[in-house]
Amino acid sequence: MSVPSRSVALVTLGCTRNDVDSEELAGRLSAEGWTLVDDAAQADVAVVNTCGFIEQAKKDSIDAILEANDLREHGKTQKVVAVGCLAERYGKELADELPEADAVLGFDSYADMSTHLRAVLDGHAPEAHTPGDRRKLLPISPVDRDASDVALPGHNTGGDLPRARLDDRPWAPLKIASGCDRRCSFCAIPTFRGAFVSRRPSDVVAEGRWLATQGVRELFLVSENSTSYGKDLGDLDLMEALLPELVAIEGIERVRVSYLQPAEIRPGLLRAMASIPGVVPWYDISFQHASGPLLRRMRRFGDTESFLGLIEGIRERQPEAGIRSNVILGFPGETEEDVAELERFLIAARLDVVGVFGYSDEDGTEGERLDDKVDAEIIAARVERIRDLVEELTAQRAEERVGEVLQVLVEEIDEETGEMSGRAAHQGPDVDGVTLLTGDLDAVEVGAVVTAEVVGTEGIDLLARVRP
């Protein structure tokens, strides 16, 4: 008997790693006969791929589930299913507190998602996921992890297994690893994403080739910790070997490496990123703070001087490099002296982009159990203070680029106004600003890489004139 076709929409929140997971789910469901639709209101099932990283992300994910539930009254939607990090992290607890979700499914359900969704539509939803510490599911020895059969979302694309693109952007995230072996005292990600596991280079390259056939011109390498890539495969230099293979793929113009841990950055990796044509001069370095004593309390390493030395080494090789980071304000025990040290670092570092976040306790983390909590009003004031400083500093950094000649990947053309924008090599996707293009744009299309000179700025955004 043929199974009637049903429609599904994937609503994705959170990071680009979640984007990869959604496209793997989309590929699996499409292969099983499901019709993929963009608008959740036009789908039989809305699958919400949630984020469970920080408090605001959790709220956004719950709001997305509630919004999908409202579509039952105004659209075609019959069922709402929660997947992703929030579902994996809280499972049954989330299901009990959020009856608007017809099912809450963890990562282990991804391989057979079609069966689960059909059961939900038939009124036989599987029991809500029971969460656990995913670090304990994998062998203790990193070298044994690759051979395990633990579910690793985003690792099963490429080759004969499908991935379906859910947008037509000329760049795409490409997952190189999952999980993390670090034990930062503020972070719960390892408990629900598991221990660190690298993807085999052959799988990464195969997926990169497939993405190139889909019109992708920039590969954005994503993971929880790209500087650990290869350690479980017995080769810490594996990234240096992988990058030339990726930039050699026909149709790929550039490759971008995300999320570098400063404590694990090796000179060989920096040399490779600076010397391999096609690897963009963009360094996404997770500093989190600059006060040495506070970083130790966070179970991290480094301080202002070591971080500035790292930045200086990058800019000696590539003066045009873009360097971005995130910082946390209000971690337990943070003093005014710590904040002043962070200010000193930021002023000296001249970073291109800085994400500023206020600390909040995360369930099951060491930080949750620490004393010397910082009052919420003080955290908010410190966040505002550092954000104001960062806004000024990053605008100044953008102004320093006036006169630079950039290679810009064209990403968007406004059909009504003809206005065109894209990203230069030093600008990461979504959060690092854009380059607004002027000049003779008649023959320029989305996906093209054009040469343009920076003639002005708007905050961290650049204004650039395309050269003939």
Side-chain angles (χ1 to χ4, degrees):
M1 295 179 59
S2 62
V3 179
S5 176
R6 310 301 289 266
S7 58
V8 60
L10 287 122
V11 180
T12 308
L13 293 96
C15 64
T16 48
R17 299 184 291 275
N18 255 15
D19 290 340
V20 177
D21 298 350
S22 285
E23 292 195 348
E24 179 189 325
L25 285 175
R28 289 181 180 277
L29 291 169
S30 179
E32 292 287 339
W34 289 78
T35 300
L36 304 175
V37 297
D38 295 330
D39 185 357
Q42 303 303 315
D44 295 315
V45 185
V47 176
V48 182
N49 189 354
T50 60
C51 178
F53 180 33
I54 57 176
E55 195 62 35
Q56 186 58 54
K58 298 175 194 174
K59 292 178 181 177
D60 292 343
S61 293
I62 290 171
D63 287 346
I65 293 169
L66 296 176
E67 290 171 8
N69 179 67
D70 291 342
L71 297 176
R72 300 178 203 260
E73 297 181 11
H74 310 293
K76 180 182 178 182
T77 309
Q78 300 174 45
K79 301 293 182 180
V80 177
V81 174
V83 300
C85 292
L86 194 69
E88 177 64 38
R89 186 175 180 184
Y90 293 104
K92 192 175 187 306
E93 179 184 347
L94 179 65
D96 291 342
E97 295 184 4
L98 201 66
E100 290 84 356
D102 296 286
V104 175
L105 305 177
F107 297 148
D108 294 336
S109 301
Y110 284 22
D112 201 19
M113 187 59 66
S114 175
T115 299
H116 294 310
L117 296 189
R118 292 191 183 279
V120 171
L121 280 171
D122 291 339
H124 307 294
E127 288 191 15
H129 164 66
T130 301
D133 189 337
R134 292 191 73 84
R135 292 172 296 186
K136 298 178 180 179
L137 299 180
L138 287 161
I140 294 176
S141 171
V143 296
D144 295 329
R145 292 173 186 167
D146 180 60
S148 72
D149 58 359
V150 173
L152 297 169
H155 282 227
N156 298 313
T157 52
D160 296 329
L161 293 174
R163 171 178 175 177
R165 296 211 70 203
L166 295 174
D167 59 61
D168 57 359
R169 300 176 300 194
W171 67 274
L174 174 56
K175 190 174 285 192
I176 62 171
S178 290
C180 185
D181 287 338
R182 303 193 69 83
R183 294 295 179 264
C184 302
S185 54
F186 56 82
C187 183
I189 288 176
T191 62
F192 57 86
R193 278 291 183 177
F196 184 86
V197 181
S198 301
R199 290 183 71 190
R200 291 277 175 181
S202 56
D203 293 338
V204 176
V205 173
E207 188 171 344
R209 290 191 180 118
W210 178 81
L211 288 168
T213 68
Q214 305 302 302
V216 170
R217 296 296 170 259
E218 178 181 307
L219 299 176
F220 184 43
L221 308 188
V222 299
S223 71
E224 276 77 19
N225 179 5
S226 295
T227 34
S228 279
Y229 182 71
K231 73 174 188 179
D232 50 322
L233 300 177
D235 186 358
L236 270 174
D237 296 328
L238 201 55
M239 178 69 80
E240 292 91 310
L242 174 64
L243 290 174
E245 292 193 59
L246 293 174
V247 297
I249 294 173
E250 184 177 357
I252 296 301
E253 297 282 349
R254 59 195 195 187
V255 174
R256 188 178 302 273
V257 184
S258 72
Y259 214 77
L260 306 174
Q261 285 286 350
E264 296 183 43
I265 293 177
R266 304 175 307 283
L269 176 60
L270 295 180
R271 285 194 297 269
M273 291 177 65
S275 63
I276 299 171
V279 177
V280 296
W282 181 80
Y283 296 84
D284 175 25
I285 305 176
S286 173
F287 291 123
Q288 303 299 355
H289 212 282
S291 166
L294 189 70
L295 284 165
R296 305 305 169 269
R297 196 170 169 90
M298 290 178 165
R299 302 297 183 200
R300 295 180 67 84
F301 302 92
D303 53 27
T304 293
E305 302 310 323
S306 64
F307 292 164
L308 291 177
L310 174 60
I311 292 169
E312 182 181 3
I314 290 171
R315 288 182 173 147
E316 282 179 354
R317 291 189 180 92
Q318 297 173 292
E320 78 284 8
I323 305 176
R324 75 170 327 275
S325 192
N326 296 317
V327 296
I328 299 172
L329 277 301
F331 186 79
E334 183 186 61
T335 65
E336 281 298 318
E337 290 75 16
D338 294 325
V339 180
E341 183 66 8
L342 177 60
E343 287 178 319
R344 184 172 81 88
F345 165 70
L346 292 171
I347 291 169
R350 297 168 41 247
L351 302 175
D352 292 83
V353 178
V354 183
V356 182
F357 299 92
Y359 172 81
S360 61
D361 284 335
E362 287 298 317
D363 297 336
T365 62
E366 182 182 351
E368 182 186 30
R369 303 187 298 272
L370 291 176
D371 54 12
D372 296 331
K373 302 290 186 186
V374 181
D375 184 81
E377 292 184 0
I378 295 176
I379 294 176
R382 289 176 179 175
V383 167
E384 183 177 5
R385 167 179 159 190
I386 296 300
R387 280 183 178 162
D388 287 346
L389 174 64
V390 161
E391 183 175 351
E392 179 181 354
L393 292 172
T394 53
Q396 291 174 2
R397 176 66 175 151
E399 290 172 1
E400 293 173 2
R401 294 188 180 275
V402 173
E404 283 189 15
V405 177
L406 310 175
Q407 299 297 308
V408 180
L409 175 65
V410 179
E411 295 188 326
E412 187 174 350
I413 300 175
D414 189 304
E415 294 182 359
E416 294 184 1
T417 66
E419 293 179 346
M420 190 174 298
S421 63
R423 284 180 301 107
H426 73 276
Q427 295 172 316
D430 292 339
V431 292
D432 285 4
V434 298
T435 298
L436 306 172
L437 297 170
T438 62
D440 184 5
L441 306 174
D442 290 342
V444 179
E445 299 180 347
V446 169
V449 176
V450 299
T451 301
E453 180 180 352
V454 181
V455 295
T457 65
E458 293 182 1
I460 64 170
D461 293 339
L462 303 179
L463 307 177
R465 183 177 300 279
V466 174
R467 287 188 168 184

